[in-house]
Amino acid sequence: NIELSRRSEVLALVARGLSLYIVHSYDLALDFFSQANQDNLWVDPSGREFIYLFQGNAAIRSMQFDQAREYYTYAIQLEPQYGRGYVGLGNVTYSLAVESASNYTFAPDQEGLLQAKDYFEQALQAEIQPSSAELPSRVAFGIGQIYMVQWFTGQETHDLAIEQFNIVLTNYNEGQNPRLQELASEAHAR
């Protein structure tokens, strides 16, 4: 079966990409995810949004923000109700908004921060929210970061930031939800 052969090849490439992603070899992982996303392997686009998500995640970890945005956008174009794609867009938009900030001039792009917040909020409205993705916690963390940056620029968002980070800590449930350990650590630190 030709389709089974294609899907097997995609699965093998994704598995190799994920193994590299886990050990922080993001550039190499992105190469394998990109190979898995070749048009000749996808007669039926069903499920392809996951590959775009993997590509976006690897690209953002490699600081390739424009590429990451492109991949997350493709994921949402394929599946407009895919919450994880909106979280990815929120993260990359946030990263680009604070990219220009430095120790000497802290002037993040305020419009970019608002756009990132909008993407995070869209993630909560999306119909496809796998429980393993922990979208409410990821959204709360992202919005908390936005409020924290806004507070650094003189806005009165300190309490809002703490409120969002506390959502992550509550969802972590004192270690009862191990999928949130790293995110809870980051939220606690902030």
Side-chain angles (χ1 to χ4, degrees), residues 14-87:
V14 167
R16 290 181 72 187
L18 287 172
S19 67
L20 289 163
Y21 186 92
I22 289 170
V23 297
H24 308 283
S25 293
Y26 303 117
D27 290 331
L28 292 173
L30 180 56
D31 288 341
F32 279 101
F33 296 144
S34 297
Q35 289 176 46
N37 207 359
Q38 295 176 49
D39 287 337
N40 66 322
L41 297 176
W42 292 90
V43 174
D44 174 11
S46 176
R48 196 170 182 179
E49 67 273 10
F50 296 109
I51 309 302
Y52 281 120
L53 179 76
F54 293 150
Q55 286 178 282
N57 291 347
I60 200 170
R61 294 287 184 134
S62 294
M63 308 288 280
Q64 298 175 42
F65 298 127
D66 291 332
Q67 267 193 298
R69 182 193 336 234
E70 185 177 308
Y71 296 136
Y72 293 132
T73 300
Y74 287 149
I76 290 170
Q77 287 172 348
L78 283 173
E79 182 48 74
Q81 291 299 317
Y82 188 42
R84 292 176 76 177
Y86 290 105
V87 168

Side-chain angles (χ1 to χ4, degrees), residues 84-147:
R84 292 176 76 177
Y86 290 105
V87 168
L89 276 174
N91 285 328
V92 76
T93 303
Y94 167 81
S95 296
L96 288 167
V98 298
E99 184 178 47
S100 62
S102 72
N103 291 337
Y104 303 106
T105 59
F106 189 72
D109 174 11
Q110 294 295 328
E111 287 183 32
L113 292 174
L114 293 176
Q115 180 63 54
K117 186 173 182 264
D118 184 54
Y119 284 133
F120 287 127
E121 290 170 348
Q122 287 180 58
L124 290 179
Q125 302 302 315
E127 292 177 14
I128 302 173
Q129 295 190 25
S131 61
S132 63
E134 303 291 349
L135 289 184
S137 296
R138 295 190 187 288
V139 166
F141 183 80
I143 292 174
Q145 288 192 121
I146 291 166
Y147 286 145

